[in-house]
Amino acid sequence: MNINESLQSEPLAAATRLAAEISAAAGRYILGKDTQLRLALCCLLAEGHLLIEDIPGIGKTTLAKVLARILGLEFRRIQCTSDMLPGDILGVSIFEQKSGSFTFHPGPIFTQILLADEINRTTPKTQSALLEAMEEHQVSLDGATHPLPRPFWLVATQNPLEQAGAYPLPESQLDRFLFRLNIGYPDKKAEQQLLAGGGIGVSLDEIEALINADQVLYLQQTARTVHLAESLIAYAQDLLAFSRNSGRFALGLSPRAGLALLRAAQAWALLQGRDFVLPEDVQEVLPHVAGHRLRLADTLSEPSLDELRRDFAQVAVPL
C-alpha cells in the first residue's frame, strides 16, 4: 500500500507512522535534537509558523533546509539585513513598455517553506511586511491580492537581542509565530559525531523526499480532526485566565494564543499516535506557545521554559 492509499484508509495510523519516519530521517542529519525536530514538525502540522532563537552556528538554518528536503517542499531562503526593503521579500510591480501595464514579479515569499534568516537584523518596517502572509497566506500589493502556495510555512531565525545590530520583533509579529524554539548546543556524543563527520555528512541536495506537498496538507488536515474534549478546552481557558489574572505577567495570553495552543496540542497528540488530546499534550507545547508572548510583570523580561512550567502547574488539570 502506498502512502496516499494508507493516508486514505487509515489516516491516523499512517500519519503517525509518517511523522515518526520524518523525525527519524531528519535526526540522521540534525544530531541529538530529537525533541526540537518533533516540535518543529508539530508546528508545521498545526499550520503555525516557527521562530528559532539561538546564537549563530548552532544549526538553525540546517534544520529548516533538512525538513524542506525530507518533506518534498519548495524552499527559499532570505538573508535579512538592515537595508532590506519589503519589496525584496514580497515582490514588485514593474511597468512593461510593450504591454503598457504593470506586471507583478513575485518575491521569494512565494514558496512553501521560507527561511527568514536573522529576521531581527532587518527593520520593523520590513518585518511587518510578513504579517499578512503569516496570518492570511496571501500578499496584497498595488490593489491586487496574490495567494501564496500551500502549504506555506515561515521559519524565522533570530539572534539574541544582546548581539549588535538586532531589532526586537514587535508583539504583533511575535503573536503570529506558533512556537519559539531554542536549538541549544549539541550534547557531547552528537557534537563528536558532527566534528568527526565534518558537518551533516551529506549534501542537502542528496537528501531524498519522503512525502510531497499534498501529503503534508493531508497530515495538517488530519491533525485538525484530533478530538478535543470540552474539559480540555476549559483547561486551555483556565491557562489563559491564569496568564491574565495571576499578576505574574505584564500582559496575558490572547485568544489567538489560546487557539494556537489547542492546535499545537492536537498536532502533538497526533505525533504520539493518538486521535484525542490529553492534558499532557497541552502541557508539553504550552511553554513553546507562551514563552515569546509573555513578559514577567516585575522585570518585563521573558520567562524561561522552567518558569513557565512551574507557574502554569498551579492551574488545576482536568481529570
Side-chain angles (χ1 to χ4, degrees):
M1 184 182 297
N2 63 33
I3 290 177
N4 286 331
E5 292 174 346
S6 182
L7 285 172
Q8 293 289 342
S9 62
E10 44 179 21
L12 177 64
T16 302
R17 185 169 59 252
L18 265 180
E21 291 175 3
I22 292 166
S23 296
R28 289 196 286 271
Y29 308 106
I30 310 296
L31 302 176
K33 298 298 175 184
D34 293 341
T35 300
Q36 288 85 346
L37 283 170
R38 291 183 72 83
L39 284 167
L41 184 57
C42 173
C43 184
L44 174 62
L45 295 187
E47 301 178 60
H49 303 292
L50 178 63
L51 178 64
I52 306 176
E53 180 180 277
D54 224 315
I55 63 173
I58 212 74
K60 304 185 294 293
T61 302
T62 303
L63 183 147
K65 288 182 176 179
V66 166
L67 283 177
R69 293 292 302 178
I70 290 173
L71 295 169
L73 299 179
E74 182 185 3
F75 173 86
R76 291 186 183 179
R77 173 185 177 274
I78 53 174
Q79 179 60 54
C80 297
T81 59
S82 59
D83 59 350
M84 176 174 282
L85 298 174
D88 297 328
I89 299 174
L90 305 180
V92 294
S93 294
I94 298 177
F95 183 76
E96 304 286 351
Q97 288 187 340
K98 289 184 179 180
S99 63
S101 61
F102 285 89
T103 301
F104 177 65
H105 294 257
I109 199 170
F110 287 86
T111 188
Q112 291 169 324
I113 296 184
L114 176 66
L115 174 64
D117 213 359
E118 298 185 305
I119 190 173
N120 60 337
R121 295 286 186 194
T122 194
T123 62
K125 179 179 180 180
T126 304
Q127 292 172 7
S128 64
L130 294 166
L131 292 178
E132 182 186 13
M134 295 174 72
E135 186 69 17
E136 302 178 37
H137 294 163
Q138 65 182 30
V139 170
S140 297
L141 283 173
D142 300 324
T145 299
H146 308 276
L148 293 171
R150 301 299 297 265
F152 173 70
W153 191 34
L154 175 66
V155 179
T157 71
Q158 70 172 6
N159 297 328
L161 289 180
E162 57 267 21
Q163 293 199 357
Y167 299 86
L169 294 176
E171 286 78 2
S172 60
Q173 183 142 20
L174 285 172
D175 198 42
R176 283 169 170 79
F177 285 102
L178 177 63
F179 279 173
R180 185 184 64 183
L181 299 181
N182 295 93
I183 302 297
Y185 292 111
D187 59 35
K188 185 176 181 179
K189 181 180 179 181
E191 189 168 34
Q192 184 180 33
Q193 288 181 266
L194 183 69
L195 295 175
I200 66 172
V202 65
S203 168
L204 291 174
D205 293 335
E206 298 176 18
I207 299 176
E208 294 186 2
L210 293 181
I211 58 177
N212 58 37
D214 289 338
Q215 291 157 352
V216 172
L217 289 172
Y218 195 92
L219 289 175
Q220 291 178 334
Q221 294 167 5
T222 303
R224 281 189 174 268
T225 67
V226 173
H227 179 65
L228 269 170
E230 290 186 9
S231 60
L232 266 297
I233 296 175
Y235 179 46
Q237 282 187 294
D238 290 342
L239 293 168
L240 297 181
F242 175 84
S243 73
R244 299 164 186 167
N245 304 325
S246 65
R248 177 70 170 150
F249 306 107
L251 291 173
L253 294 172
S254 67
R256 181 189 298 168
L259 292 170
L261 175 63
L262 292 176
R263 289 202 314 272
Q266 287 176 299
W268 189 257
L270 179 65
L271 292 176
Q272 309 311 309
R274 282 183 275 101
D275 60 358
F276 58 91
V277 176
L278 292 175
E280 289 85 344
D281 301 316
V282 178
Q283 293 164 353
E284 183 66 36
V285 299
L286 175 60
H288 307 287
V289 172
H292 58 291
R293 292 177 163 93
L294 296 174
R295 297 292 184 275
L296 296 173
D298 52 353
T299 63
L300 295 183
S301 61
E302 296 178 354
S304 68
L305 296 182
D306 289 338
E307 286 176 313
L308 288 169
R309 292 188 182 99
R310 185 172 59 250
D311 288 338
F312 284 108
Q314 301 175 50
V315 179
V317 179
L319 300 176

